[in-house]
Amino acid sequence: MPRKKQFQYDQSAAEDSYQRPSRSQRKRDSSALQDLGRDLAELPVRELAALGLAPDLLEAYRELGRISSHEAKRRQMQYIGRLMREEEDVERLKEAVAIFREGLLPSRELAPRKDASPEEEQPR
């Protein structure tokens, strides 16, 4: 058996170690989060605030509304995508986008109703 060189790849050691996601997989995940961020940009800022987004992310969406340059909007969307990677509850945000596309307001559909309307509270 030939002598193993110092930097030669050792397959048995690679199988035992932690398998991190490939670079391509990380890029696909990042792209998916950017797409989700683009979809969330269609929601009104008031709805985004009701979803409980991180303050930095909410401020980035507010800033996106003030930007008029195409290139600046593109860069801001990339920044939003980076902030989306730090977001914990991505599934809830995907659900909010799906609800909004059905024509409903996500804050009313996702959040539990805290108080009844005044008509329901007063007996007659």
Side-chain angles (χ1 to χ4, degrees), residues 7-26:
F7 298 107
Q8 189 173 359
Y9 179 72
D10 186 10
Q11 188 174 5
S12 63
E15 291 173 358
D16 296 338
S17 66
Y18 169 73
Q19 293 293 325
R20 66 175 191 246
S22 68
R23 183 176 180 190
S24 298
Q25 182 61 42
R26 288 187 294 162

Side-chain angles (χ1 to χ4, degrees), residues 12-72:
S12 63
E15 291 173 358
D16 296 338
S17 66
Y18 169 73
Q19 293 293 325
R20 66 175 191 246
S22 68
R23 183 176 180 190
S24 298
Q25 182 61 42
R26 288 187 294 162
K27 284 185 176 185
R28 283 190 292 269
D29 294 344
S30 177
S31 178
L33 286 175
Q34 279 184 342
D35 291 343
L36 177 61
R38 190 173 299 115
D39 293 340
L40 282 172
E42 297 172 5
L43 290 170
V45 176
R46 186 178 22 201
E47 290 295 317
L48 293 173
L51 290 175
L53 294 178
D56 292 341
L57 188 56
L58 191 57
E59 183 58 35
Y61 277 113
R62 286 188 180 121
E63 186 66 29
L64 180 67
R66 292 187 283 257
I67 296 174
S68 60
S69 168
H70 175 73
E71 182 63 19

Side-chain angles (χ1 to χ4, degrees), residues 48-110:
L48 293 173
L51 290 175
L53 294 178
D56 292 341
L57 188 56
L58 191 57
E59 183 58 35
Y61 277 113
R62 286 188 180 121
E63 186 66 29
L64 180 67
R66 292 187 283 257
I67 296 174
S68 60
S69 168
H70 175 73
E71 182 63 19
K73 280 187 178 186
R74 185 191 68 78
R75 286 193 310 269
Q76 186 71 8
M77 286 306 302
Q78 285 184 334
Y79 175 65
I80 287 172
R82 184 177 73 85
L83 292 175
M84 291 288 293
R85 283 180 250 151
E86 299 169 3
E87 197 65 33
E88 291 91 21
D89 196 7
V90 176
E91 292 301 318
R92 184 174 55 88
L93 298 177
K94 288 179 183 178
E95 185 179 336
V97 168
I99 289 171
F100 184 70
R101 285 186 176 159
E102 291 175 2
L104 303 172
L105 295 177
S107 61
R108 294 184 183 161
E109 298 296 321
L110 292 177

